[in-house]
Amino acid sequence: QVQLVESGGGLVQAGGSLRLSCAASGRTNSMYDMGWFRQAPGKEREFLAAITWRDSNLHYADSVKGRFTISRDNAKNTVYLQMNSLKPEDTAVYYCAARYTSYYAYNYWGQGTQVTVSS
């Protein structure tokens, strides 16, 4: 199993930036990938970005492509989400997730971190 802990959320003004971190522990060397999701009040959870663990292939949702960047630090087993040009509609709880195979949905989740963008 893998354990995930997010950090870095907070309050930021529109146009500002935040960097979220997700520290992974446990059986990380067998993971297929890690991803970032968000869920705003009254909305479904939305996929944002993912990075494969073996070769760092990147995938982005169209809604954040060009504004958000996913990256990882192998030595720290940590994945980051750099968020630039933030908008009020980016306000949500942000979650990181992990899985061991691409054939199934993400089944390991962090506790979430709140991001609030003020106008």
Side-chain angles (χ1 to χ4, degrees):
Q1 291 191 352
V2 62
Q3 294 78 42
L4 306 172
V5 178
E6 301 104 332
S7 60
L11 175 64
V12 63
Q13 288 189 334
S17 299
L18 277 177
R19 188 179 78 158
L20 306 182
S21 301
C22 178
S25 61
R27 196 165 62 92
T28 60
N29 58 350
S30 300
M31 291 192 301
Y32 172 74
D33 68 355
M34 289 180 63
W36 283 99
F37 294 74
R38 68 185 178 190
Q39 188 165 20
K43 294 188 176 181
E44 293 186 354
R45 188 169 293 183
E46 175 189 13
F47 167 79
L48 301 175
I51 183 167
T52 57
W53 205 245
R54 178 177 295 180
D55 49 14
S56 296
N57 282 334
L58 307 179
H59 304 274
Y60 291 98
D62 289 342
S63 60
V64 301
K65 201 174 292 185
R67 292 194 303 127
F68 291 8
T69 302
I70 189 170
S71 63
R72 57 180 282 200
D73 183 328
N74 293 356
K76 296 181 179 180
N77 277 345
T78 299
V79 171
Y80 303 98
L81 186 68
Q82 177 67 43
M83 305 186 295
N84 298 328
S85 303
L86 284 164
K87 308 172 184 178
E89 50 265 42
D90 293 317
T91 295
V93 178
Y94 284 69
Y95 298 90
C96 68
R99 58 183 174 175
Y100 289 106
T101 173
S102 61
Y103 294 103
Y104 296 102
Y106 291 90
N107 53 348
Y108 296 96
W109 294 86
Q111 81 285 359
T113 185
Q114 176 71 45
V115 171
T116 302
V117 184
S118 62
S119 57

